[in-house]
């Protein structure tokens, strides 16, 4: 095997931390000696050992004179865990191959330079694009302070999200719905508009058959030793639930205010919201974010995203409805989209489409999708892409 093969394995290991490690990045590590893999590890959950430490612990004395392949530059500072660079140095590693630098100002270049100064051979850039794509939400958040925004919608082949009478459940099949719930597990927060809550009274939780729900923020750190290493195969977590509700029309008996879930519910409103409603919603355990209003009177989205970033929300999935999704697309705030197409044609000029909002007047102003990927999920099609 060559260096790229070892790094690909490290990237696959890193991906196993999806949904558990935020606000840390997903990282994988592989230790190789004389052409043989002698250790491997990944960052399992926030607060648990980083990938390098996990891999080196499993490697033991065989790490002396070995090569370490890691998907992100090892940290050189004390955080929730000790610096990984010291663990690498203590283990006797001779060469470190890093996919990409850490853009965090406390780390960027520091880890690699420390190891080089200690006499280790350090190489950077192997499969860098793949490594950045794996942690695309984390990179955006570190570099801009804003969450990575994902738009998700399910519709018919002709782009309708419901019939003319309003019927919408279920457009897509079980495989597509399960994929959507896996996405919920992997993001920090999901967002809907008040119209969706009033129409559907959703729970906005994760439901994955055969897996158990654990608390928000990395409860796998409380699992017993025999429940590891396949944490991600047995459990899931709920994301933060966010409702856009400028005037607080949210019913106090809404399901998302009365859930058996450790994940919080946040309601974003404007100063036009009644103060007594703000207190009543808070009394039910939800957090109310009073945000500036846009010219339309609705919650201004850029300040909301800035506040979510401040609260360490790195990935935000916008699930609807059509007006809310349209607003995010109109304001060029979407980074990535997942569109699920059911093999149905609904028609009807009054049937709601996937996106509302203002849209564009000229083709030249259209949003251009890139890096499209199409996947078949049972009878349905998933189109993924970036903007």
């Amino acid at each position: 095997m060559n260096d790229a093969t070892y790094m690909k394995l490290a990237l696959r290991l890193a991906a196993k931390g999806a949904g558990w490690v935020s606000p840390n990045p997903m990282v994988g590590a592989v230790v190789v000696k004389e052409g043989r893999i002698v250790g491997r590890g990944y960052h399992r959950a926030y607060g648990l050992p980083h990938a390098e430490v996990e891999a080196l612990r499993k490697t033991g004395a065989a790490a002396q004179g070995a090569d370490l392949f890691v998907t992100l530059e090892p940290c050189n500072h004390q955080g929730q865990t000790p610096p990984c660079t010291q663990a690498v140095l203590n283990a006797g590693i001779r060469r470190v191959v890093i996919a990409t630098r850490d853009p965090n100002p406390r780390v960027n270049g520091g880890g690699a330079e420390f190891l080089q100064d200690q006499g280790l051979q350090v190489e950077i850039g192997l499969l860098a694009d793949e490594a950045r794509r794996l942690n695309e939400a984390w990179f955006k958040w570190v570099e801009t302070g804003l969450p990575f925004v994902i738009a998700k919608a399910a519709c018919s082949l002709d782009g309708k999200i419901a019939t003319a009478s309003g019927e919408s459940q279920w457009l897509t099949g079980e495989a597509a719905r399960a994929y959507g719930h896996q996405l919920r597990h992997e993001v920090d927060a999901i967002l809907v508009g008040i119209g969706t809550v009033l129409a559907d009274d959703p729970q906005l939780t994760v439901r994955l058959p055969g897996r158990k729900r654990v608390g928000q923020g990395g409860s796998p750190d409380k699992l017993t030793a025999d429940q590891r290493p396949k944490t991600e195969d047995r459990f899931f977590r709920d994301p933060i639930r966010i409702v856009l509700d400028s005037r607080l029309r949210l019913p106090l008996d809404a399901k998302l205010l009365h859930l058996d879930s450790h994940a919080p519910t946040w309601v974003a409103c404007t100063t036009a919201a009644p103060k007594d409603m703000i207190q009543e919603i808070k009394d039910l355990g939800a957090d109310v974010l009073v945000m500036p209003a846009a010219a339309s009177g609705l919650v201004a989205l850029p300040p909301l995203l800035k506040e979510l970033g401040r609260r360490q929300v790195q990935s935000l999935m916008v699930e609807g409805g059509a007006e809310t999704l349209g607003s995010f697309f109109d304001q060029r705030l979407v980074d990535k989209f997942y569109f699920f197409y059911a093999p149905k044609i609904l028609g009807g000029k009054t049937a709601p489409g996937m996106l509302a909002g203002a849209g564009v007047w000229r083709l030249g102003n259209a949003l251009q999708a890139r890096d499209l990927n199409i996947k078949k999920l049972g009878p349905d099609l998933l189109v993924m892409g970036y903007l």
Side-chain angles (χ1 to χ4, degrees):
M1 291 192 287
N2 57 26
D3 285 0
T5 301
Y6 298 130
M7 189 62 79
K8 286 177 182 177
L9 173 57
L11 288 166
R12 289 197 298 272
L13 288 168
K16 293 163 74 70
W20 300 117
V21 301
S22 182
N24 285 347
M26 293 174 277
V27 183
V30 174
V31 184
V32 178
K33 189 171 186 178
E34 297 175 353
R36 185 171 64 91
I37 295 173
V38 293
R40 63 185 76 190
Y42 67 97
H43 187 30
R44 298 177 179 279
Y46 180 69
L48 293 186
H50 289 183
E52 303 94 317
V53 173
E54 179 104 347
L56 292 170
R57 281 179 181 175
K58 293 178 180 179
T59 305
Q64 188 73 36
D67 297 344
L68 173 66
F69 293 81
V70 62
T71 59
L72 187 70
E73 180 179 9
C75 63
N76 194 35
H77 67 281
Q78 178 73 41
Q80 285 286 324
T81 59
C84 293
T85 49
Q86 195 60 53
V88 173
L89 187 63
N90 293 342
I93 291 291
R94 73 170 187 94
R95 181 171 75 119
V96 181
V97 182
I98 301 166
T100 183
R101 289 189 181 273
D102 187 335
N104 188 324
R106 292 193 301 169
V107 181
N108 192 1
E113 291 169 0
F114 171 82
L115 294 173
Q116 284 179 320
D117 289 344
Q118 300 302 313
L120 278 71
Q121 180 182 344
V122 178
E123 302 170 15
I124 303 173
L126 180 62
L127 302 185
D129 290 343
E130 291 87 339
R132 284 189 65 92
R133 178 63 59 89
L134 175 69
N135 280 304
E136 56 196 3
W138 179 80
F139 272 99
K140 180 185 177 183
W141 178 72
V142 169
E143 293 170 351
T144 69
L146 299 172
F148 186 83
V149 177
I150 301 164
K152 171 181 167 284
C155 64
S156 62
L157 283 180
D158 56 334
K160 304 294 186 180
I161 60 173
T163 66
S165 66
E167 184 181 355
S168 62
Q169 295 184 333
W170 295 100
L171 264 175
T172 54
E174 291 184 8
R177 294 199 297 274
Y179 194 102
H181 280 279
Q182 178 65 30
L183 290 176
R184 283 185 176 182
H185 158 74
E186 294 178 2
V187 299
D188 291 333
I190 55 177
L191 180 147
V192 298
I194 183 60
T196 294
V197 177
L198 294 175
D200 300 333
D201 195 17
Q203 298 182 58
L204 303 181
T205 55
V206 178
R207 295 179 293 282
L208 289 169
R211 291 165 66 175
K212 299 177 182 179
R213 174 180 286 110
V214 296
Q216 169 76 16
S219 294
D221 62 348
K222 299 188 173 95
L223 298 178
T224 59
D226 66 334
Q227 289 174 318
R228 299 184 181 124
K230 296 184 178 179
T231 299
E232 70 286 345
D233 295 332
R234 298 185 183 186
F235 297 89
F236 63 80
R237 53 170 279 281
D238 285 332
I240 299 163
R241 298 171 292 275
I242 303 173
V243 180
L244 285 181
D245 186 7
S246 56
R247 295 181 176 271
L248 288 187
R249 296 184 290 149
L250 181 67
L252 296 179
D253 61 352
K255 288 178 182 175
L256 52 78
L257 293 176
H258 303 275
L259 291 171
D260 181 19
S261 170
H262 292 284
T265 295
W266 298 346
V267 184
C269 67
T270 69
T271 54
K275 289 184 171 53
D276 58 337
M277 272 296 291
I278 292 176
Q279 190 57 51
E280 288 189 80
I281 290 174
K282 286 183 176 179
D283 289 344
L284 290 172
D287 196 357
V288 178
L289 313 182
V290 181
M291 304 302 302
S296 62
L298 302 177
V299 172
L301 297 181
L304 175 62
L305 292 179
K306 185 175 181 180
E307 173 62 16
L308 296 182
R310 189 188 68 80
R311 292 175 174 236
Q312 295 192 317
V313 172
Q314 297 177 2
S315 52
L316 174 69
M317 188 156 69
V318 182
E319 293 201 2
E323 292 290 345
T324 297
L325 280 166
S327 295
F328 274 86
F329 277 97
D330 282 348
Q331 297 179 50
R332 306 302 206 257
L333 298 175
V334 175
D335 297 296
K336 187 176 186 178
F337 59 87
Y338 289 83
F339 290 164
F340 297 84
Y341 289 91
K344 301 176 175 73
I345 296 175
L346 303 184
K349 63 182 180 180
T350 61
M354 183 194 302
L355 300 181
V360 299
W361 285 97
R362 300 178 62 84
L363 282 175
N365 296 330
L367 288 167
Q368 182 63 52
R370 61 178 177 84
D371 298 341
L372 290 180
N373 195 316
I374 299 174
K375 184 181 184 71
K376 200 165 190 305
L377 298 170
D380 305 311
L381 290 177
L382 168 60
V383 179
M384 301 169 278
Y386 294 84
L387 294 174

